[in-house]
Amino acid sequence: MKRTRLRSVSNKRQRQYEKYAKIRLRFLEEHPTCEMCNSASSQDIHHKRGRNNDRLIDTEYFMAICRRCHIKIHLHPKWAYDNQYMLTR
């Protein structure tokens, strides 16, 4: 079987990932409880408008949420859009 090589990310995107790692930690420290269920510890950042371009590091569309709520959002997109947990891109 022939292996296909994965494309590496651009230098710009790599810098965004490095910046995102720092922003993510700070955001989770500032929002220790899930913003959806208000009971579990937040461990994920949900990007309401997706992660394209500079949205990866735009905290305006961040939600600090637990893994269970994050899975729920992505398994039920219509419900998530109706409740503004996902926004049009």
Coordinates of all heavy atoms in Angstrom, one line a residue:
M1 N 0.8 -1.2 0.0 CA 0.0 0.0 0.0 C 0.9 1.3 0.0 O 1.8 1.4 0.8 CB -0.9 0.0 1.2 CG -1.7 1.2 1.3 SD -3.0 1.3 2.6 CE -2.6 0.2 3.9
K2 N 0.6 2.2 -0.9 CA 1.3 3.4 -1.0 C 0.9 4.4 0.1 O -0.3 4.6 0.3 CB 1.1 4.0 -2.4 CG 1.9 5.2 -2.6 CD 1.7 5.8 -4.0 CE 2.5 7.0 -4.2 NZ 2.4 7.6 -5.5
R3 N 1.8 4.9 0.8 CA 1.5 5.9 1.8 C 1.5 7.3 1.2 O 2.4 7.7 0.5 CB 2.5 5.9 2.9 CG 2.4 4.6 3.8 CD 3.3 4.7 4.9 NE 3.1 3.6 5.8 CZ 3.4 3.6 7.1 NH1 4.0 4.7 7.6 NH2 3.1 2.6 7.9
T4 N 0.5 8.1 1.6 CA 0.5 9.5 1.1 C 1.0 10.3 2.3 O 0.7 10.1 3.4 CB -0.9 9.9 0.8 OG1 -1.8 9.7 1.9 CG2 -1.5 9.2 -0.4
R5 N 1.8 11.3 1.9 CA 2.4 12.1 2.9 C 1.5 13.3 3.2 O 0.9 13.9 2.4 CB 3.7 12.7 2.3 CG 4.5 13.4 3.3 CD 5.9 13.7 2.7 NE 6.7 14.4 3.7 CZ 7.5 15.4 3.5 NH1 7.8 15.7 2.2 NH2 8.1 16.0 4.4
L6 N 1.3 13.5 4.5 CA 0.5 14.6 5.0 C 1.2 16.0 4.7 O 2.4 16.1 4.8 CB 0.2 14.5 6.5 CG -0.6 13.3 6.9 CD1 -0.7 13.3 8.4 CD2 -2.0 13.3 6.3
R7 N 0.3 16.9 4.3 CA 0.9 18.3 4.1 C 1.2 18.9 5.4 O 0.5 18.8 6.4 CB -0.1 19.2 3.4 CG -0.3 19.0 1.9 CD -1.1 20.0 1.3 NE -2.1 20.7 2.2 CZ -3.2 21.3 1.9 NH1 -3.5 21.3 0.6 NH2 -3.9 21.8 2.8
S8 N 2.3 19.6 5.4 CA 2.7 20.3 6.7 C 1.9 21.6 6.6 O 1.5 22.1 5.6 CB 4.2 20.6 6.7 OG 4.6 21.3 5.6
V9 N 1.7 22.2 7.8 CA 0.9 23.4 7.8 C 1.9 24.6 7.4 O 3.1 24.5 7.6 CB 0.3 23.7 9.2 CG1 -0.7 22.6 9.6 CG2 1.4 23.8 10.3
S10 N 1.3 25.7 7.0 CA 2.0 26.8 6.6 C 2.7 27.5 7.8 O 2.3 27.2 9.0 CB 1.1 27.9 5.9 OG 0.2 28.4 6.9
N11 N 3.7 28.3 7.6 CA 4.4 29.0 8.7 C 3.4 29.8 9.5 O 3.4 29.9 10.7 CB 5.5 29.8 8.2 CG 6.7 28.9 7.7 OD1 6.8 27.8 8.1 ND2 7.5 29.5 6.8
K12 N 2.5 30.5 8.7 CA 1.5 31.4 9.4 C 0.6 30.6 10.3 O 0.3 31.0 11.4 CB 0.7 32.1 8.3 CG -0.4 33.0 8.9 CD -1.2 33.6 7.8 CE -2.4 34.5 8.4 NZ -3.2 35.1 7.4
R13 N 0.1 29.4 9.8 CA -0.8 28.6 10.6 C 0.0 28.0 11.8 O -0.6 27.9 12.9 CB -1.4 27.5 9.7 CG -2.5 26.8 10.4 CD -3.7 27.7 10.7 NE -4.9 27.0 11.1 CZ -6.0 27.6 11.3 NH1 -6.1 28.9 11.3 NH2 -7.1 26.9 11.6
Q14 N 1.2 27.7 11.6 CA 2.0 27.1 12.7 C 2.1 28.2 13.8 O 2.0 27.9 15.0 CB 3.4 26.7 12.3 CG 4.2 26.1 13.4 CD 3.6 24.8 14.0 OE1 3.1 24.0 13.3 NE2 3.7 24.7 15.3
R15 N 2.4 29.4 13.5 CA 2.4 30.5 14.5 C 1.1 30.7 15.2 O 1.0 31.0 16.4 CB 2.9 31.8 13.8 CG 4.3 31.9 13.4 CD 4.8 33.3 13.0 NE 4.0 33.8 11.9 CZ 4.3 33.6 10.6 NH1 5.4 32.8 10.3 NH2 3.6 34.1 9.6
Q16 N 0.0 30.6 14.4 CA -1.4 30.7 15.0 C -1.6 29.5 16.0 O -2.1 29.8 17.1 CB -2.5 30.6 13.9 CG -2.6 31.9 13.1 CD -3.7 31.8 12.1 OE1 -3.9 30.7 11.5 NE2 -4.3 32.9 11.8
Y17 N -1.2 28.3 15.7 CA -1.3 27.2 16.6 C -0.5 27.4 17.9 O -1.0 27.1 19.0 CB -0.8 25.9 16.0 CG -1.8 25.3 15.0 CD1 -1.3 24.7 13.8 CD2 -3.2 25.2 15.2 CE1 -2.2 24.1 12.9 CE2 -4.0 24.6 14.3 CZ -3.6 24.1 13.2 OH -4.4 23.5 12.3
E18 N 0.7 28.0 17.8 CA 1.5 28.3 18.9 C 0.8 29.4 19.8 O 0.7 29.2 21.0 CB 2.9 28.7 18.5 CG 3.7 27.6 17.9 CD 4.9 28.0 17.2 OE1 5.3 29.3 17.2 OE2 5.6 27.2 16.6
K19 N 0.3 30.4 19.1 CA -0.5 31.4 19.9 C -1.7 30.9 20.5 O -2.1 31.2 21.6 CB -0.8 32.6 18.9 CG -1.3 33.8 19.6 CD -1.5 34.9 18.5 CE -2.0 36.2 19.2 NZ -2.1 37.3 18.2
Y20 N -2.4 30.0 19.7 CA -3.7 29.4 20.2 C -3.5 28.6 21.5 O -4.3 28.6 22.4 CB -4.3 28.5 19.1 CG -5.5 27.7 19.6 CD1 -6.7 28.3 20.0 CD2 -5.4 26.3 19.7 CE1 -7.8 27.6 20.4 CE2 -6.5 25.6 20.2 CZ -7.7 26.2 20.5 OH -8.7 25.5 21.0
A21 N -2.4 27.8 21.5 CA -2.1 27.0 22.7 C -2.0 27.9 24.0 O -2.6 27.5 25.0 CB -0.8 26.3 22.5
K22 N -1.4 29.0 23.9 CA -1.3 30.0 25.0 C -2.7 30.6 25.4 O -3.1 30.6 26.5 CB -0.3 31.0 24.8 CG 1.1 30.5 24.7 CD 2.1 31.6 24.3 CE 3.4 31.0 24.0 NZ 4.4 32.0 23.5
I23 N -3.4 31.0 24.3 CA -4.7 31.6 24.5 C -5.7 30.6 25.1 O -6.5 30.9 26.0 CB -5.2 32.2 23.2 CG1 -4.4 33.4 22.7 CG2 -6.7 32.6 23.3 CD1 -4.7 33.8 21.3
R24 N -5.6 29.4 24.6 CA -6.5 28.3 25.1 C -6.4 28.1 26.6 O -7.3 28.0 27.3 CB -6.2 27.1 24.3 CG -7.0 25.9 24.7 CD -6.6 24.6 24.0 NE -7.3 23.5 24.4 CZ -7.1 22.8 25.5 NH1 -6.1 23.1 26.3 NH2 -7.8 21.8 25.8
L25 N -5.1 28.0 27.0 CA -4.9 27.7 28.4 C -5.4 28.9 29.3 O -6.0 28.6 30.3 CB -3.4 27.5 28.7 CG -2.8 26.2 28.2 CD1 -1.3 26.2 28.4 CD2 -3.5 25.0 28.9
R26 N -5.1 30.1 28.9 CA -5.6 31.2 29.6 C -7.1 31.3 29.7 O -7.7 31.5 30.7 CB -5.0 32.5 29.0 CG -5.3 33.8 29.9 CD -4.6 35.0 29.3 NE -4.7 35.1 27.9 CZ -3.6 35.3 27.1 NH1 -2.4 35.5 27.6 NH2 -3.8 35.4 25.8
F27 N -7.8 31.0 28.5 CA -9.2 31.1 28.5 C -9.8 30.0 29.4 O -10.8 30.3 30.1 CB -9.7 30.9 27.0 CG -11.1 31.2 26.8 CD1 -11.5 32.5 26.5 CD2 -12.1 30.3 26.8 CE1 -12.8 32.9 26.3 CE2 -13.4 30.6 26.6 CZ -13.8 31.9 26.3
L28 N -9.3 28.8 29.4 CA -9.8 27.7 30.3 C -9.6 28.1 31.7 O -10.4 27.7 32.6 CB -9.2 26.4 29.9 CG -9.6 25.8 28.6 CD1 -8.8 24.5 28.2 CD2 -11.1 25.5 28.6
E29 N -8.5 28.7 32.1 CA -8.2 29.2 33.4 C -9.3 30.2 33.9 O -9.8 30.2 35.0 CB -6.8 29.7 33.6 CG -5.7 28.7 33.6 CD -4.4 29.3 33.6 OE1 -4.2 30.6 33.6 OE2 -3.4 28.5 33.6
E30 N -9.6 31.1 32.9 CA -10.6 32.1 33.2 C -12.0 31.6 33.3 O -12.9 32.2 33.8 CB -10.5 33.3 32.2 CG -9.2 34.0 32.3 CD -9.0 35.0 31.1 OE1 -9.8 35.0 30.2 OE2 -7.9 35.7 31.1
H31 N -12.3 30.5 32.6 CA -13.6 29.9 32.5 C -13.5 28.4 32.9 O -13.6 27.5 32.1 CB -14.2 30.0 31.1 CG -14.2 31.4 30.6 ND1 -13.2 32.0 29.9 CD2 -15.3 32.2 30.6 CE1 -13.5 33.2 29.6 NE2 -14.8 33.4 30.0
P32 N -13.3 28.1 34.2 CA -13.1 26.8 34.7 C -14.3 25.8 34.6 O -14.2 24.6 34.7 CB -12.6 26.9 36.1 CG -13.2 28.2 36.6 CD -13.3 29.1 35.3
T33 N -15.5 26.4 34.5 CA -16.7 25.6 34.5 C -17.3 25.6 33.1 O -17.3 26.7 32.4 CB -17.7 26.1 35.5 OG1 -17.1 26.1 36.8 CG2 -19.0 25.2 35.6
C34 N -17.9 24.5 32.6 CA -18.5 24.4 31.3 C -19.6 25.5 31.1 O -20.5 25.6 32.0 CB -19.1 23.0 31.2 SG -20.0 22.8 29.6
E35 N -19.5 26.2 30.1 CA -20.4 27.3 29.8 C -21.8 26.8 29.3 O -22.7 27.6 29.1 CB -19.8 28.3 28.8 CG -18.6 29.0 29.3 CD -18.0 30.0 28.3 OE1 -18.7 31.0 28.0 OE2 -16.9 29.8 27.8
M36 N -21.9 25.5 29.1 CA -23.1 25.0 28.6 C -23.9 24.3 29.7 O -25.1 24.7 29.9 CB -22.8 24.0 27.4 CG -24.0 23.8 26.6 SD -23.5 22.9 25.1 CE -24.6 21.5 25.2
C37 N -23.3 23.4 30.4 CA -24.0 22.7 31.5 C -23.8 23.3 32.8 O -24.6 23.0 33.8 CB -23.7 21.2 31.5 SG -22.0 20.9 32.0
N38 N -22.8 24.2 33.0 CA -22.5 24.8 34.2 C -22.3 23.9 35.4 O -22.4 24.3 36.6 CB -23.6 25.8 34.6 CG -23.8 26.9 33.6 OD1 -22.8 27.6 33.3 ND2 -25.0 27.2 33.1
S39 N -21.9 22.7 35.2 CA -21.6 21.8 36.3 C -20.2 21.1 36.1 O -19.5 20.9 37.1 CB -22.7 20.7 36.4 OG -22.8 19.9 35.2
A40 N -19.8 20.7 35.0 CA -18.6 20.0 34.8 C -17.4 21.0 34.5 O -17.7 22.2 34.2 CB -18.7 19.1 33.5
S41 N -16.2 20.5 34.7 CA -15.0 21.3 34.5 C -14.9 21.5 33.0 O -15.1 20.5 32.2 CB -13.8 20.7 35.0 OG -13.9 20.6 36.4
S42 N -14.5 22.7 32.5 CA -14.3 22.9 31.1 C -12.9 22.3 30.8 O -12.0 22.5 31.5 CB -14.4 24.4 30.8 OG -13.4 25.1 31.5
Q43 N -12.8 21.7 29.6 CA -11.6 21.1 29.2 C -11.4 21.3 27.7 O -10.3 21.1 27.2 CB -11.5 19.6 29.5 CG -12.7 18.9 29.1 CD -12.9 17.5 29.8 OE1 -13.6 16.7 29.2 NE2 -12.3 17.3 30.9
D44 N -12.4 21.7 27.0 CA -12.3 22.0 25.5 C -12.7 23.4 25.2 O -13.4 24.1 26.0 CB -13.3 21.1 24.8 CG -13.0 19.6 24.8 OD1 -11.9 19.3 25.2 OD2 -13.8 18.9 24.3
I45 N -12.2 23.9 24.1 CA -12.6 25.2 23.6 C -13.4 24.9 22.3 O -13.0 24.2 21.4 CB -11.4 26.1 23.1 CG1 -10.5 26.4 24.3 CG2 -11.9 27.3 22.4 CD1 -11.2 27.3 25.4
H46 N -14.7 25.3 22.3 CA -15.5 25.2 21.2 C -15.5 26.5 20.4 O -15.7 27.5 21.0 CB -17.0 24.8 21.6 CG -17.9 24.8 20.4 ND1 -17.8 24.0 19.4 CD2 -19.0 25.6 20.2 CE1 -18.7 24.2 18.5 NE2 -19.5 25.2 18.9
H47 N -15.2 26.4 19.1 CA -15.2 27.6 18.2 C -16.5 27.7 17.6 O -16.8 26.9 16.6 CB -14.1 27.4 17.2 CG -12.7 27.3 17.8 ND1 -12.2 26.2 18.4 CD2 -11.7 28.3 17.8 CE1 -11.0 26.5 18.8 NE2 -10.7 27.7 18.5
K48 N -17.4 28.6 18.0 CA -18.7 28.7 17.5 C -18.8 29.0 16.0 O -19.7 28.6 15.3 CB -19.5 29.8 18.2 CG -19.8 29.6 19.7 CD -20.6 30.8 20.1 CE -20.7 30.9 21.6 NZ -21.5 32.0 22.0
R49 N -17.8 29.7 15.5 CA -17.8 30.0 14.0 C -16.8 29.2 13.3 O -16.4 29.5 12.2 CB -17.5 31.5 13.8 CG -18.7 32.4 14.1 CD -18.6 33.7 13.3 NE -19.6 34.6 13.7 CZ -20.8 34.7 13.2 NH1 -21.1 33.9 12.2 NH2 -21.6 35.6 13.6
G50 N -16.2 28.2 13.9 CA -15.2 27.3 13.2 C -13.8 27.9 13.5 O -13.7 28.8 14.3
R51 N -12.8 27.2 13.0 CA -11.4 27.5 13.2 C -10.7 28.0 12.0 O -9.5 28.1 12.1 CB -10.8 26.3 13.8 CG -11.4 25.8 15.1 CD -10.9 24.4 15.5 NE -9.7 23.9 14.9 CZ -8.8 23.2 15.6 NH1 -9.0 22.9 16.8 NH2 -7.7 22.8 15.0
N52 N -11.4 28.4 11.0 CA -10.7 28.9 9.8 C -10.1 30.2 10.0 O -10.6 31.0 10.7 CB -11.7 29.0 8.6 CG -12.3 27.6 8.2 OD1 -11.8 26.6 8.6 ND2 -13.3 27.7 7.4
N53 N -9.0 30.4 9.3 CA -8.3 31.7 9.2 C -8.0 32.2 10.7 O -7.5 31.4 11.5 CB -9.1 32.8 8.4 CG -9.3 32.3 7.0 OD1 -8.5 31.7 6.4 ND2 -10.5 32.5 6.5
D54 N -8.3 33.4 11.0 CA -8.0 34.0 12.3 C -9.0 33.6 13.4 O -8.8 34.0 14.5 CB -7.9 35.5 12.2 CG -6.6 36.0 11.5 OD1 -5.6 35.2 11.4 OD2 -6.6 37.1 10.9
R55 N -10.0 32.9 13.0 CA -11.0 32.5 14.0 C -10.5 31.5 15.0 O -11.0 31.3 16.1 CB -12.2 31.8 13.3 CG -13.0 32.8 12.5 CD -14.3 32.2 12.0 NE -14.8 33.0 10.9 CZ -15.3 32.5 9.8 NH1 -15.3 31.2 9.6 NH2 -15.7 33.3 8.8
L56 N -9.4 30.9 14.6 CA -8.7 29.9 15.5 C -8.3 30.6 16.8 O -8.4 30.1 17.9 CB -7.4 29.3 14.9 CG -6.6 28.4 15.8 CD1 -7.4 27.1 16.1 CD2 -5.3 28.1 15.1
I57 N -7.9 31.9 16.8 CA -7.5 32.6 18.0 C -8.4 33.8 18.4 O -8.1 34.5 19.3 CB -6.0 33.1 17.7 CG1 -5.9 34.0 16.5 CG2 -5.0 32.0 17.7 CD1 -4.6 34.6 16.2
D58 N -9.6 33.9 17.8 CA -10.5 34.9 18.1 C -11.4 34.5 19.3 O -12.4 33.7 19.1 CB -11.4 35.2 16.9 CG -12.3 36.4 17.1 OD1 -12.4 36.9 18.2 OD2 -12.9 36.8 16.1
T59 N -11.1 35.0 20.5 CA -11.8 34.6 21.7 C -13.3 35.0 21.7 O -14.1 34.5 22.5 CB -11.1 35.1 22.9 OG1 -11.1 36.5 22.9 CG2 -9.7 34.5 23.1
E60 N -13.7 35.9 20.8 CA -15.1 36.3 20.8 C -16.0 35.2 20.5 O -17.2 35.2 21.0 CB -15.3 37.4 19.7 CG -16.7 37.9 19.5 CD -16.8 39.0 18.5 OE1 -15.8 39.4 17.9 OE2 -18.0 39.3 18.2
Y61 N -15.6 34.2 19.8 CA -16.4 33.0 19.4 C -16.0 31.8 20.2 O -16.4 30.7 19.8 CB -16.4 32.8 17.9 CG -16.9 34.0 17.2 CD1 -16.0 34.8 16.4 CD2 -18.2 34.4 17.2 CE1 -16.4 35.9 15.8 CE2 -18.6 35.5 16.6 CZ -17.8 36.3 15.8 OH -18.2 37.4 15.2
F62 N -15.3 31.9 21.3 CA -14.9 30.7 22.1 C -16.0 30.4 23.1 O -16.7 31.3 23.6 CB -13.6 31.1 22.9 CG -12.3 30.9 22.2 CD1 -12.2 30.9 20.8 CD2 -11.1 30.9 22.9 CE1 -11.0 30.8 20.2 CE2 -9.9 30.9 22.3 CZ -9.8 30.8 21.0
M63 N -16.0 29.1 23.4 CA -16.8 28.6 24.5 C -16.0 27.6 25.3 O -15.4 26.7 24.6 CB -18.1 27.9 24.1 CG -19.3 28.8 23.7 SD -20.7 27.8 23.3 CE -21.2 27.2 25.0
A64 N -15.8 27.8 26.6 CA -15.1 26.8 27.4 C -16.2 25.8 27.8 O -17.1 26.1 28.5 CB -14.5 27.5 28.6
I65 N -16.0 24.5 27.4 CA -17.0 23.5 27.6 C -16.3 22.2 28.0 O -15.2 21.9 27.7 CB -18.0 23.3 26.5 CG1 -17.2 23.0 25.2 CG2 -18.8 24.6 26.2 CD1 -18.1 22.7 24.0
C66 N -17.2 21.3 28.6 CA -16.7 20.0 28.9 C -16.8 19.1 27.7 O -17.4 19.5 26.7 CB -17.5 19.4 30.1 SG -19.2 19.0 29.7
R67 N -16.1 18.0 27.7 CA -16.0 17.1 26.5 C -17.4 16.6 26.2 O -17.8 16.6 25.0 CB -15.1 16.0 26.8 CG -14.9 14.9 25.7 CD -14.3 15.5 24.4 NE -13.2 16.3 24.7 CZ -11.9 15.9 24.7 NH1 -11.6 14.7 24.5 NH2 -10.9 16.8 24.9
R68 N -18.2 16.3 27.2 CA -19.6 15.7 26.9 C -20.4 16.8 26.1 O -21.1 16.4 25.2 CB -20.2 15.4 28.2 CG -21.6 14.7 28.1 CD -22.1 14.3 29.4 NE -23.4 13.7 29.2 CZ -23.9 12.9 30.1 NH1 -23.3 12.5 31.1 NH2 -25.1 12.3 29.8
C69 N -20.4 18.0 26.6 CA -21.2 19.0 25.9 C -20.6 19.3 24.5 O -21.4 19.6 23.5 CB -21.2 20.3 26.7 SG -22.3 20.2 28.2
H70 N -19.3 19.2 24.3 CA -18.7 19.4 23.0 C -19.1 18.4 22.0 O -19.5 18.7 20.9 CB -17.2 19.4 23.1 CG -16.5 20.2 22.1 ND1 -15.1 20.3 22.0 CD2 -16.9 20.9 21.0 CE1 -14.8 21.1 21.0 NE2 -15.8 21.4 20.4
I71 N -19.2 17.2 22.5 CA -19.7 16.1 21.6 C -21.1 16.3 21.3 O -21.5 16.1 20.1 CB -19.4 14.7 22.3 CG1 -17.9 14.4 22.4 CG2 -20.2 13.6 21.6 CD1 -17.6 13.2 23.3
K72 N -21.9 16.7 22.3 CA -23.3 16.9 22.0 C -23.5 18.0 20.9 O -24.4 17.8 20.0 CB -24.0 17.4 23.3 CG -25.5 17.6 23.1 CD -26.1 18.0 24.5 CE -27.6 18.2 24.3 NZ -28.3 18.5 25.6
I73 N -22.8 19.1 21.0 CA -22.9 20.1 20.0 C -22.7 19.6 18.6 O -23.4 19.9 17.7 CB -21.9 21.3 20.3 CG1 -22.4 22.1 21.5 CG2 -21.7 22.2 19.1 CD1 -21.4 23.1 22.0
H74 N -21.6 18.8 18.4 CA -21.3 18.3 17.1 C -22.1 17.1 16.6 O -22.3 16.9 15.4 CB -19.8 18.0 17.0 CG -18.9 19.2 17.1 ND1 -18.8 20.0 16.0 CD2 -18.2 19.8 18.1 CE1 -18.0 21.1 16.3 NE2 -17.7 20.9 17.6
L75 N -22.7 16.4 17.6 CA -23.7 15.3 17.2 C -25.0 15.9 16.8 O -25.8 15.2 16.1 CB -23.8 14.3 18.3 CG -22.6 13.4 18.5 CD1 -22.9 12.5 19.7 CD2 -22.3 12.6 17.2
H76 N -25.4 17.1 17.3 CA -26.7 17.6 17.0 C -26.6 19.1 16.5 O -26.9 20.0 17.2 CB -27.5 17.6 18.3 CG -27.6 16.3 19.0 ND1 -28.4 15.3 18.5 CD2 -26.9 15.7 20.0 CE1 -28.3 14.2 19.3 NE2 -27.4 14.5 20.2
P77 N -26.1 19.2 15.3 CA -25.8 20.6 14.7 C -27.1 21.4 14.6 O -27.0 22.6 14.9 CB -25.2 20.3 13.4 CG -25.5 18.9 13.1 CD -25.7 18.2 14.3
K78 N -28.2 20.9 14.2 CA -29.4 21.7 14.1 C -29.8 22.3 15.5 O -30.0 23.5 15.6 CB -30.6 20.9 13.6 CG -31.8 21.8 13.4 CD -33.0 21.0 12.9 CE -34.3 21.9 12.7 NZ -34.4 23.1 13.5
W79 N -29.8 21.5 16.5 CA -30.0 21.9 17.9 C -29.0 23.0 18.3 O -29.3 24.0 18.9 CB -30.0 20.7 18.8 CG -30.0 21.1 20.3 CD1 -31.1 21.4 21.0 CD2 -28.8 21.3 21.1 NE1 -30.7 21.7 22.3 CE2 -29.3 21.6 22.4 CE3 -27.5 21.1 20.9 CZ2 -28.4 21.9 23.4 CZ3 -26.6 21.3 21.9 CH2 -27.1 21.7 23.2
A80 N -27.7 22.8 17.9 CA -26.6 23.7 18.3 C -26.8 25.0 17.6 O -26.6 26.1 18.2 CB -25.3 23.1 18.0
Y81 N -27.2 25.0 16.3 CA -27.5 26.3 15.6 C -28.7 27.0 16.2 O -28.6 28.2 16.4 CB -27.7 26.1 14.1 CG -26.4 25.9 13.3 CD1 -26.0 24.7 12.8 CD2 -25.6 27.0 13.1 CE1 -24.9 24.6 12.1 CE2 -24.4 26.9 12.3 CZ -24.1 25.7 11.8 OH -22.9 25.6 11.1
D82 N -29.7 26.2 16.5 CA -30.9 26.8 17.1 C -30.6 27.5 18.5 O -31.3 28.5 18.8 CB -32.0 25.8 17.3 CG -32.6 25.3 16.0 OD1 -32.4 25.9 14.9 OD2 -33.3 24.3 16.0
N83 N -29.7 26.9 19.2 CA -29.3 27.5 20.5 C -28.1 28.3 20.5 O -27.6 28.7 21.6 CB -29.2 26.3 21.5 CG -30.5 25.7 21.8 OD1 -31.3 26.2 22.6 ND2 -30.8 24.5 21.2
Q84 N -27.6 28.7 19.3 CA -26.5 29.6 19.2 C -25.2 29.1 19.7 O -24.3 29.8 20.0 CB -26.8 31.0 19.8 CG -28.1 31.6 19.4 CD -27.8 32.7 18.4 OE1 -26.9 33.5 18.5 NE2 -28.6 32.7 17.3
Y85 N -25.0 27.7 19.8 CA -23.8 27.1 20.2 C -22.9 27.0 18.9 O -21.7 26.8 19.0 CB -24.0 25.7 20.8 CG -24.7 25.8 22.1 CD1 -25.8 25.1 22.4 CD2 -24.2 26.7 23.2 CE1 -26.5 25.2 23.6 CE2 -24.9 26.8 24.4 CZ -26.0 26.0 24.6 OH -26.7 26.1 25.8
M86 N -23.5 27.0 17.8 CA -22.8 27.1 16.5 C -23.4 28.3 15.7 O -24.6 28.5 15.7 CB -23.0 25.8 15.7 CG -22.2 24.6 16.3 SD -22.5 23.0 15.4 CE -21.6 23.3 14.0
L87 N -22.5 29.0 15.0 CA -22.9 30.1 14.3 C -22.5 30.0 12.8 O -21.5 29.3 12.5 CB -22.3 31.4 14.9 CG -22.6 31.7 16.3 CD1 -21.8 32.9 16.8 CD2 -24.1 31.9 16.6
T88 N -23.2 30.6 11.9 CA -22.8 30.5 10.5 C -21.4 31.1 10.3 O -21.0 32.0 11.0 CB -23.8 31.2 9.6 OG1 -24.0 32.5 10.0 CG2 -25.2 30.5 9.7
R89 N -20.7 30.5 9.4 CA -19.4 30.9 9.1 C -19.4 31.9 8.1 O -19.1 32.5 7.4 CB -18.5 29.7 8.7 CG -18.5 28.7 9.9 CD -17.8 27.4 9.5 NE -18.0 26.5 10.6 CZ -17.4 25.4 10.7 NH1 -16.6 24.9 9.8 NH2 -17.6 24.6 11.7

